[in-house]
Amino acid sequence: MSKDSSFDIVSKVDFSEVTNAITQTMKEISTRYDFKGSKSEVSLDKEELVLISDDEYKLDQLKDVLLSKLIKRGIPIRNLDYGKIEKASGGTVRQRAKLVQGIDKENAKKINTIIKNSGVKVKSQVQDDQVRVSGKNRDDLQKIISLVREADLTVDVQFINYR
């Protein structure tokens, strides 16, 4: 009897890279002319990014700089869940962006449906915030990986523990 191969589908964010991207963003806005004298800043509060700026226009500019730094560092920007823009102290505006970790039930159901509809002989099971896929043939697992990559999910997924 052949041994089953398997892999896990997860959605994780590397917080050390997020911290590096925030540092780079702060360094860039401190040197940019359009941010001169501005009260713009980005900080990490547990699993949330907090963006503060003078007005909504500058907040959008700050968000653009941050997103470019996150992309360069390999952080999936689909995992950012923005809150509404709110008034903050000192005439500034604030926006929080939650860094989503793990695959929620809705996306796990989508992934399972994709796997079942593919007709490939593999088994999938949801384990907390990840999905484990196992099968006898490694080529079948590769097909599933490509199908999940093409899927329209609300979070970015990684494939780990491929055995």
Side-chain angles (χ1 to χ4, degrees):
M1 186 170 144
S2 65
K3 185 178 179 293
D4 277 4
S5 299
S6 69
F7 67 88
D8 295 330
I9 304 172
V10 298
S11 181
K12 293 191 184 224
V13 176
D14 185 359
F15 282 100
S16 61
E17 290 296 338
V18 172
T19 306
N20 291 339
I22 290 171
T23 305
Q24 286 180 335
T25 301
M26 293 305 294
K27 193 179 288 184
E28 182 173 326
I29 66 169
S30 70
T31 60
R32 277 181 49 166
Y33 182 76
D34 56 341
F35 280 101
K36 205 162 211 82
S38 170
K39 296 177 189 151
S40 299
E41 70 175 72
V42 182
S43 60
L44 185 64
D45 181 28
K46 294 178 186 150
E47 290 189 3
E48 270 188 338
L49 290 171
V50 181
L51 293 89
I52 299 173
S53 196
D54 297 335
D55 52 44
E56 287 187 32
Y57 177 75
K58 279 208 173 115
L59 188 67
D60 285 340
Q61 297 297 313
L62 179 63
K63 210 184 300 184
D64 285 344
V65 174
L66 177 64
L67 289 179
S68 71
K69 302 301 179 193
L70 288 172
I71 290 169
K72 282 182 185 173
R73 292 245 162 228
I75 303 298
I77 58 172
R78 276 200 289 184
N79 286 23
L80 289 173
D81 182 23
Y82 290 102
K84 64 180 187 356
I85 297 173
E86 52 196 43
K87 299 274 184 221
S89 63
T92 59
V93 290
R94 175 188 320 124
Q95 187 173 24
R96 293 181 178 272
K98 189 174 188 312
L99 289 159
V100 178
Q101 294 240 77
I103 299 173
D104 59 335
K105 286 185 175 156
E106 186 178 311
N107 283 316
K109 279 183 185 177
K110 271 188 193 176
I111 291 170
N112 274 334
T113 305
I114 290 165
I115 292 169
K116 298 246 186 309
N117 292 342
S118 69
V120 180
K121 287 191 172 182
V122 292
K123 290 180 267 177
S124 65
Q125 57 188 156
V126 178
Q127 299 175 336
D128 294 329
D129 58 353
Q130 67 183 26
V131 177
R132 169 147 304 156
V133 180
S134 58
K136 293 193 185 311
N137 189 346
R138 285 182 167 240
D139 292 337
D140 290 345
L141 295 181
Q142 291 290 338
K143 287 178 194 168
I144 296 299
I145 288 174
S146 66
L147 285 172
V148 171
R149 275 204 176 110
E150 293 168 7
D152 184 34
L153 301 171
T154 57
V155 293
D156 196 64
V157 293
Q158 296 90 31
F159 306 95
I160 60 170
N161 297 335
Y162 187 80
R163 301 181 201 138

